[in-house]
Amino acid sequence: MAFYRKNIGGLHQLLRVMVGTGVAVAGFVYVPGMAAWLVAAGGAGLALSGVVGYCPMCAVAGIGGRGKA
């Protein structure tokens, strides 16, 4: 039993993981000080949403529901 229903497709998931990882790495490389952790956390959150296949903001907006049961 899943606690959520996947609402993003395969290509969208792949792009989220790639962009999220890039943002996290860029945060540590290019952003100075404590802000680097905030940028990296945002990138990690984006990548994690791609890994699990669920985007909370897409669910709120009603985007990407793969069919209603």
Side-chain angles (χ1 to χ4, degrees):
M1 178 173 156
F3 294 107
Y4 63 92
R5 178 179 291 169
K6 287 188 175 191
N7 64 354
I8 57 176
L11 180 60
H12 194 165
Q13 283 182 272
L14 178 65
L15 289 173
R16 278 182 174 267
V17 170
M18 290 172 50
V19 171
T21 303
V23 167
V25 169
F28 282 123
V29 172
Y30 296 112
V31 178
M34 195 63 180
W37 288 97
L38 295 173
V39 173
L46 184 64
L48 183 62
S49 71
V51 169
V52 298
Y54 180 76
C55 173
M57 291 307 293
C58 292
V60 169
I63 299 170
R66 290 188 183 176
K68 307 290 181 197

